[in-house]
Amino acid sequence: MPVISAPHAFNESQLYVDLQSIFGRSLYLKCEGFNFAGSIKLKAANEMVESAEREGILKPDSILVESSSGNLGVALSMIAASKGYQFLCVTDSRCNLSTRLLMEALGSEVHVISELDANAGFLGARIDYVRALCASDDRYVWLSQYTNPGNWQAHYRTTAPEIASHFPGLDVLFVGAGTTGTLMGCARYFRKWHRPVRIVAVDSVGSVAFGGEPGRRMIPGLGMSMRPPLLDESFVDEVIRVEEADTIRTCHRLARRGFLFGGSTGTVVSGAMDWLNRRDTPGITAVAIAPDLGERYLDTIYQTNWLQDLYGENILDPEQVAVGHRRERPTPDPPDTPDTPPRHRSR
């Protein structure tokens, strides 16, 4: 049992759940929510803060400021409290109430943006607010998770090697796409690995991260209302987009088997199972990354009134939850073997 003196010194990231018994397909889910920040964002937050300290950007009177839909804000709140910094999180109205309260409990200030930007999202408005703050007072230090290389470097150094050590025969890795820090760190690592690994990015319908039309997105975590500056699509073999209704049903299917995960995890698992079902490749070793757990979503994706108001009364139809997907799927593509290069990129 470790003994620690700082909350960010503990992060149990070597736990995997085999989803075979729940979905009928073997998918190893890497659980990243077992730390005091409650999500994978602790890795990026710690890397970015330590880098800013080494470079002399952060000083004792500095005020950290960051735009976040929730999880990074919590991680930075925890680190700021531990190190004695002030922190202001600029979030938006989609951020779960419990997440906002948690940041405030850790001593952070939270500013909520309520107006959409030109791309039907909040991100542009959040960033504009952060830039205005930094221009008004040089004590503000913006780590900028959207452009900071420490975001992907954290996963290149930690997340990807952790997966590689457990699964030396890895064939395909499913990674949710938000800022694309996790995606780019893992993709860059496995590009240099001893065997080919297919990298599948999982995005939300309505996100414009990989192009396409913007649309309503109510579940925070994955998806972007702009192209992620960190994204290099040459490292990505395929992109799968998941409807929020499928995210919700997948979360509830997991919960009914005792696994309470967050919305990002529901999106990644839904997309991964769709991919595996369409290919039906026996013996494939597949891993997906679960960014967080589900307690912070109790008042949203696990709250019946919230769900029915946004998605209709049949969102939790028992048969559809059991299947895990709402839509009929297209005729399966011919199976791609992991040892051959991708023939096309799904959009």
Side-chain angles (χ1 to χ4, degrees):
M1 182 66 69
V3 177
I4 64 172
S5 58
H8 50 279
F10 171 76
N11 188 7
E12 174 53 66
S13 57
Q14 294 284 23
L15 177 65
Y16 297 83
V17 177
D18 187 353
L19 300 180
Q20 171 81 47
S21 64
I22 301 175
F23 292 92
R25 298 283 180 190
S26 183
L27 176 68
Y28 298 100
L29 190 61
K30 187 179 194 302
C31 302
E32 290 280 354
F34 293 101
N35 56 59
F36 285 103
S39 81
I40 197 171
K41 288 293 189 177
L42 175 61
K43 292 177 174 177
N46 199 42
E47 180 77 21
M48 291 188 295
V49 169
E50 289 188 350
S51 177
E53 289 175 331
R54 288 192 302 268
E55 295 171 10
I57 297 172
L58 273 175
K59 301 176 175 64
D61 66 340
S62 294
I63 304 172
L64 279 168
V65 60
E66 186 57 80
S67 161
S68 170
S69 61
N71 282 337
L72 183 71
V74 172
L76 287 173
S77 293
M78 186 192 77
I79 293 172
S82 175
K83 292 176 174 283
Y85 296 116
Q86 296 181 65
F87 173 55
L88 167 61
C89 181
V90 180
T91 188
D92 59 64
S93 54
R94 296 175 307 167
C95 180
N96 300 320
L97 175 61
S98 59
T99 301
R100 299 202 299 268
L101 294 175
L102 178 54
M103 288 189 281
E104 291 173 346
L106 289 166
S108 299
E109 182 181 351
V110 180
H111 180 82
V112 180
I113 298 292
S114 58
E115 294 184 3
L116 295 172
D117 61 24
N119 290 319
F122 294 98
L123 182 54
R126 290 190 341 222
I127 290 176
D128 287 345
Y129 187 87
V130 171
R131 285 176 173 153
L133 277 178
C134 293
S136 70
D137 190 334
D138 59 9
R139 291 179 302 163
Y140 284 105
V141 174
W142 181 24
L143 297 175
S144 184
Q145 62 166 322
Y146 312 106
T147 59
N148 194 319
N151 190 344
W152 69 262
Q153 289 168 355
H155 303 288
Y156 185 93
R157 294 192 306 102
T158 61
T159 308
E162 289 160 2
I163 296 170
S165 68
H166 270 75
F167 300 97
L170 180 67
D171 293 313
V172 57
L173 178 64
F174 300 95
V175 188
T179 65
T180 68
T182 307
L183 175 65
M184 287 293 97
C186 291
R188 283 188 166 94
Y189 180 91
F190 284 111
R191 176 64 61 86
K192 298 179 180 180
W193 210 36
H194 69 90
R195 59 177 279 125
V197 175
R198 183 178 289 272
I199 302 297
V200 180
V202 184
D203 198 10
S204 302
V205 169
S207 165
V208 300
F210 295 90
E213 292 297 319
R216 184 189 77 165
R217 292 180 293 112
M218 301 302 299
I219 301 173
L222 297 186
M224 292 274 280
S225 56
M226 69 178 189
R227 180 179 173 83
L230 295 177
L231 176 62
D232 183 343
E233 288 192 65
S234 69
F235 288 93
V236 179
D237 295 310
E238 297 183 54
V239 178
I240 295 176
R241 290 186 174 89
V242 175
E243 297 275 2
E244 286 192 335
D246 291 338
T247 291
I248 291 161
R249 293 183 177 113
T250 299
C251 284
H252 280 261
R253 187 173 182 181
L254 287 162
R256 291 173 189 182
R257 297 296 294 272
F259 293 105
L260 194 72
F261 285 106
S264 298
T265 300
T267 302
V268 173
V269 171
S270 178
M273 285 301 167
D274 180 29
W275 191 96
L276 292 169
N277 287 333
R278 285 191 284 113
R279 280 154 181 80
D280 194 22
T281 306
I284 194 171
T285 299
V287 173
I289 298 175
D292 60 4
L293 301 177
E295 289 90 342
R296 294 173 191 170
Y297 300 82
L298 292 176
D299 57 348
T300 54
I301 63 176
Y302 294 106
Q303 212 283 326
T304 302
N305 290 339
W306 186 87
L307 290 175
Q308 291 182 345
D309 287 346
L310 290 173
Y311 304 97
E313 293 185 359
N314 296 324
I315 182 66
L316 295 181
D317 178 86
E319 182 177 349
Q320 293 173 333
V321 170
V323 171
H325 296 282
R326 178 183 61 187
R327 307 179 310 278
E328 290 295 326
R329 296 300 182 185
T331 302
D333 296 328
D336 290 327
T337 60
D339 294 327
T340 59
R343 293 188 297 272
H344 64 277
R345 185 173 295 150
S346 300
R347 292 296 190 190

